[in-house]
Amino acid sequence: MNKIKILLVLALTSCIALSAQARDKREYHDMVYDSGCKTCHDQGAKHFPSDEACLQCHDMGELAEQTKREGHDAKQNPHDSMHYGQEAPCMECHGEHTPKQAICMDCHNFDYPKFKH
């Protein structure tokens, strides 16, 4: 009998944790939330979305152009970096349900004022 209670508590706790995580949404992706988690989580809900899932809606060339910098900061483009070019994995910097830090910040202290986790 105790095992059943423990399993019920674990199941209920998991449901609460998942629903709390799902509520932490970013307003700039509102348009896809009604389509369901699989819209982005193409590898399953327990895995990060693949880059291909991100690139269904986001164009890397356009992102590189939008984040292009001038002068002394010209080489500090997170979407066209001197280390990764345009090939850095999206989830290395961006997180939908939990904030993340740009991978560049592991070694550098660039200022990305418009950075959206």
Side-chain angles (χ1 to χ4, degrees):
M1 188 70 166
N2 284 338
K3 288 182 182 182
I4 293 174
K5 287 181 183 179
I6 291 171
L7 288 174
L8 285 172
V9 169
L10 288 174
L12 188 61
T13 304
S14 296
C15 290
I16 292 169
L18 287 173
S19 66
Q21 181 182 27
R23 282 194 303 263
D24 184 17
K25 300 174 181 177
R26 308 285 182 221
E27 70 279 354
Y28 47 85
H29 282 146
D30 273 347
M31 72 293 270
V32 296
Y33 289 135
D34 289 338
S35 302
C37 300
K38 290 182 181 180
T39 303
C40 297
H41 288 274
D42 58 339
Q43 303 179 101
K46 293 183 179 183
H47 301 281
F48 288 126
S50 68
D51 287 347
E52 290 76 23
C54 298
L55 296 173
Q56 287 182 40
C57 298
H58 302 279
D59 180 87
M60 189 55 73
E62 288 177 15
L63 290 171
E65 185 62 31
Q66 289 172 3
T67 54
K68 185 168 80 173
R69 295 171 153 214
E70 302 294 329
H72 177 72
D73 297 336
K75 295 190 186 238
Q76 298 176 12
N77 188 335
H79 296 107
D80 192 9
S81 77
M82 57 189 295
H83 299 295
Y84 301 103
Q86 294 184 7
E87 302 297 320
C90 303
M91 293 290 111
E92 286 296 323
C93 302
H94 300 280
E96 183 68 16
H97 303 295
T98 55
K100 293 183 98 176
Q101 174 178 292
I103 191 173
C104 306
M105 307 313 277
D106 288 347
C107 301
H108 303 281
N109 62 3
F110 301 140
D111 183 27
Y112 296 126
K114 296 180 182 179
F115 177 65
K116 294 181 180 179
H117 309 289

